[in-house]
Amino acid sequence: MQRIQIIGGAASSSACGLHDDLISSSNPSNRCGNGGDGPSSSIFRAPCCGVPLEYPTSASASASASASASAPAPWQWQPVRCFAEFTLPRLKIKIKKDRPLDKVADKAKELQPIITIRDLILRYPKRAIPFRIISLKRRELGLKISDQKVEDLMRRYPNAFEFFIHPDDKQKWCRLAPQLKELLKEEKRIYAQEEPLVVEKLRRLLMLAKDRRIPVEKLLAAARFFGFPDDFEASIIPKYPQYFRLREPHKPSRAVELVAWDESLAITEFEKAAKMAAKERGQGDNFETRGKPLAFKLKYSAGMQLRKKTIEKIDRWQKLPYICPYQQVDWVEEGSPIAERKMAALMHEVLSLTIEKKILIEVIGDFREEFNFPNRVAKAFNRFPGIFYISLKGNVHTVFLREGYNKRLLVEDHPLVSLKWKYYKMLQDGPRMRSMGFKTGRTVDDGPLMRQSIVSSRLENAYVIQESVDKETHGDNSVMLSDHEAESSDEFDFSDDE
């Protein structure tokens, strides 16, 4: 059980009703806590409808009188109170484990070594490499197991990898099996279909970045989480010169830069959901979200109990204005509750752009400079335990957007996520095929057509038998493992080999 701190978010009643209670007079001096006598005033003018307004400044009596005469109408004011006067101590909440999300993070480790070996084989032009290369690069690839365990792992899935003796050097080589090649073709088709969304998502990420640019190396590390193809630098960037520019293309520090800002994209997924909810309530299509007290959806792990006083303080924090991360808001005071709201909105938007509404802390931490994240990124996410959850399963730190999941299932599906479940199904079938006597080893002179027919007949018999068993025990929906099967399934040992 972890003990972490989150924001207090408490404020006086006038501070919580920023959008209406404080707008009581058309005279600017009446809205300043000290009578509008200069920068020490507790209320200043913030951007209204995206147009920056001026801060109140000290002036002589005559200047104040003239300012009062030409004061703007009350609706033109969007006052924001300085938060130093009511910032409260941080709330302490005991975080309980979220077992459904922990299982999602734990299952991801099953597929990772297979994808790692697959990507290594795909780097070579003939899509086949000597096994000794995999052995030499196993530590570099994150496979902290011995040579024999790597081979045992690959032989465990004959529907993913093939071993053969090369006729020239008489050494053991390996390549991809036909079933894995078919999944690769399907993945390529999905990337082609999703290309417009990939372009839009990359533009929005660049719009969130501080200098409107992100290093290619960091984008490559996060490509799988955002649904980018691995070769997006060659297949996407040159294809859309009106959107992207590659700075210093021949250097390791090359970066993708945004060519032009698009205001139509400067709306968060959170704002889109708020507008859709307002439309369903009959509030029309032009519902304004900027500067409104939009509340984040809060979900907690089972068994978490909050005190009444804690709930009240969080509710008051939820009533503070929503700060869109695409806006330039230099007037927000660092360390204030509204600055916490801005950071929560930014992290919420970044996770909303991922296809599985989750990402590794190690990966998102690399964007610290571009997105102005705190140095301790994990602690920043833990400050909002009702919005995000960090799982420690799988020997990695995975941060989830809670509202993106209904227990273990994604609320919004994605074609690449559906394809991922086909990979899991392939791994589930691998040991079953091996138990039927199907081997990964073969020589280069074996007849591929005869071998394929043997595979098809064996798989057909296996599927007929397994379908009858699954329908008797689990019904027709037997593709996804149940909780009990996931826990009791035979897993490969990835621990360090002493």
Side-chain angles (χ1 to χ4, degrees):
M1 187 176 296
Q2 307 174 58
R3 181 184 292 273
I4 58 95
Q5 297 179 344
I6 66 168
I7 60 170
S12 63
S13 59
S14 60
C16 295
L18 295 173
H19 59 293
D20 48 10
D21 296 341
L22 293 179
I23 304 178
S24 59
S25 172
S26 62
N27 191 342
S29 62
N30 293 338
R31 296 183 180 85
C32 298
N34 60 355
D37 292 333
S40 60
S41 170
S42 63
I43 299 179
F44 55 85
R45 302 177 66 184
C48 181
C49 301
V51 180
L53 303 178
E54 298 178 355
Y55 291 82
T57 57
S58 60
S60 62
S62 59
S64 299
S66 61
S68 300
S70 60
W75 58 269
Q76 291 178 309
W77 280 82
Q78 186 184 359
V80 178
R81 183 175 296 275
C82 293
F83 295 94
E85 62 188 48
F86 63 87
T87 300
L88 297 180
R90 305 303 186 187
L91 301 177
K92 293 184 178 180
I93 296 181
K94 292 182 179 179
I95 296 293
K96 288 185 175 291
K97 292 182 178 180
D98 196 309
R99 298 192 181 279
L101 295 183
D102 281 342
K103 289 180 179 179
V104 174
D106 195 38
K107 191 169 183 61
K109 75 176 184 181
E110 299 177 19
L111 191 59
Q112 186 58 39
I114 304 300
I115 298 298
T116 301
I117 297 174
R118 182 205 70 176
D119 293 343
L120 177 62
I121 296 177
L122 290 176
R123 293 179 194 173
Y124 288 78
K126 295 183 179 180
R127 301 296 191 264
I129 61 173
F131 177 73
R132 68 175 183 275
I133 295 181
I134 299 179
S135 300
L136 292 174
K137 291 182 174 291
R138 70 183 192 280
R139 299 283 178 177
E140 177 185 341
L141 298 173
L143 302 175
K144 299 180 180 180
I145 51 181
S146 63
D147 293 351
Q148 185 59 46
K149 285 188 176 181
V150 172
E151 184 174 352
D152 292 343
L153 170 67
M154 297 178 67
R155 290 188 181 277
R156 187 183 182 188
Y157 303 107
N159 51 351
F161 304 108
E162 291 180 347
F163 285 93
F164 65 96
I165 303 300
H166 200 279
D168 296 334
D169 59 7
K170 307 301 180 183
Q171 297 294 321
K172 187 191 306 180
W173 282 53
C174 55
R175 59 184 167 193
L176 304 182
Q179 186 175 349
L180 186 53
K181 290 180 180 178
E182 288 299 320
L183 292 179
L184 283 172
K185 291 180 181 178
E186 184 176 353
E187 183 176 343
K188 189 175 181 180
R189 288 194 297 267
I190 292 175
Y191 279 129
Q193 295 171 0
E194 296 291 314
E195 184 172 305
L197 295 178
V198 169
V199 172
E200 178 182 325
K201 191 177 296 185
L202 181 55
R203 293 171 66 191
R204 293 173 68 179
L205 283 175
L206 293 173
M207 290 169 65
L208 288 173
K210 181 174 56 178
D211 298 324
R212 310 291 180 254
R213 71 171 69 99
I214 300 177
V216 173
E217 184 180 4
K218 297 181 181 181
L219 288 173
L220 285 173
R224 296 286 174 85
F225 296 99
F226 291 106
F228 299 160
D230 293 334
D231 62 341
F232 76 91
E233 184 182 359
S235 61
I236 300 294
I237 305 302
K239 193 174 180 180
Y240 299 91
Q242 68 273 29
Y243 299 142
F244 311 114
R245 181 189 302 117
L246 198 61
R247 294 179 62 90
E248 301 178 341
H250 303 294
K251 294 184 178 181
S253 60
R254 63 193 183 279
V256 181
E257 186 178 47
L258 186 68
V259 173
W261 180 274
D262 189 349
E263 189 63 28
S264 64
L265 299 180
I267 178 172
T268 63
E269 296 297 316
F270 183 77
E271 289 178 295
K272 291 179 182 178
K275 287 179 178 291
M276 186 176 298
K279 185 177 181 180
E280 293 175 356
R281 294 193 301 265
Q283 293 179 288
D285 298 332
N286 298 324
F287 180 74
E288 181 60 41
T289 57
R290 303 291 167 88
K292 299 292 184 179
L294 303 180
F296 291 97
K297 293 181 180 179
L298 302 181
K299 296 172 64 176
Y300 296 97
S301 305
M304 284 186 62
Q305 297 180 353
L306 305 182
R307 293 182 300 175
K308 182 179 179 180
K309 185 179 295 186
T310 300
I311 295 176
E312 292 175 353
K313 292 179 179 178
I314 294 176
D315 288 343
R316 289 200 295 269
W317 180 78
Q318 289 270 52
K319 293 177 182 178
L320 294 175
Y322 174 79
I323 306 298
C324 177
Y326 294 103
Q327 284 182 299
Q328 296 295 330
V329 283
D330 299 333
W331 46 268
V332 174
E333 182 182 354
E334 185 177 356
S336 64
I338 202 168
E340 300 275 8
R341 291 271 291 178
K342 176 187 174 185
M343 181 56 62
L346 174 60
M347 295 188 296
H348 185 284
E349 176 67 3
V350 173
L351 278 180
S352 296
L353 294 178
T354 60
I355 61 175
E356 293 186 87
K357 305 302 180 280
K358 68 181 180 71
I359 194 170
L360 296 182
I361 288 291
E362 291 78 4
V363 174
I364 193 66
D366 290 340
F367 293 88
R368 187 182 300 108
E369 181 179 353
E370 287 73 20
F371 295 151
N372 285 326
F373 285 150
N375 291 331
R376 301 176 66 179
V377 179
K379 186 177 180 181
F381 281 104
N382 264 338
R383 291 173 73 85
F384 311 98
I387 307 175
F388 311 105
Y389 174 73
I390 296 181
S391 173
L392 307 181
K393 288 290 185 178
N395 298 323
V396 293
H397 297 74
T398 308
V399 57
F400 289 84
L401 180 63
R402 285 186 180 271
E403 68 180 63
Y405 282 83
N406 181 13
K407 295 184 178 179
R408 294 179 60 185
L409 301 179
L410 271 170
V411 175
E412 297 180 4
D413 199 7
H414 191 278
L416 289 175
V417 179
S418 301
L419 178 65
K420 190 175 182 180
W421 282 107
K422 293 184 180 181
Y423 275 98
Y424 284 125
K425 186 65 168 62
M426 181 191 69
L427 297 187
Q428 184 182 355
D429 293 338
R432 186 184 305 165
M433 292 173 57
R434 191 180 183 189
S435 65
M436 293 187 302
F438 181 76
K439 304 295 183 182
T440 56
R442 60 181 289 261
T443 62
V444 76
D445 297 327
D446 289 340
L449 295 178
M450 180 177 291
R451 179 179 178 277
Q452 184 64 30
S453 63
I454 295 174
V455 174
S456 302
S457 61
R458 287 178 175 176
L459 277 178
E460 184 178 355
N461 294 334
Y463 288 149
V464 170
I465 296 173
Q466 186 62 27
E467 270 190 18
S468 61
V469 174
D470 289 338
K471 288 182 179 179
E472 292 178 1
T473 57
H474 304 293
D476 293 336
N477 299 327
S478 59
V479 176
M480 295 176 59
L481 291 175
S482 64
D483 292 352
H484 176 71
E485 289 173 328
E487 293 176 357
S488 60
S489 61
D490 184 20
E491 295 186 358
F492 195 85
D493 183 17
F494 291 100
S495 58
D496 291 334
D497 187 61
E498 297 295 331

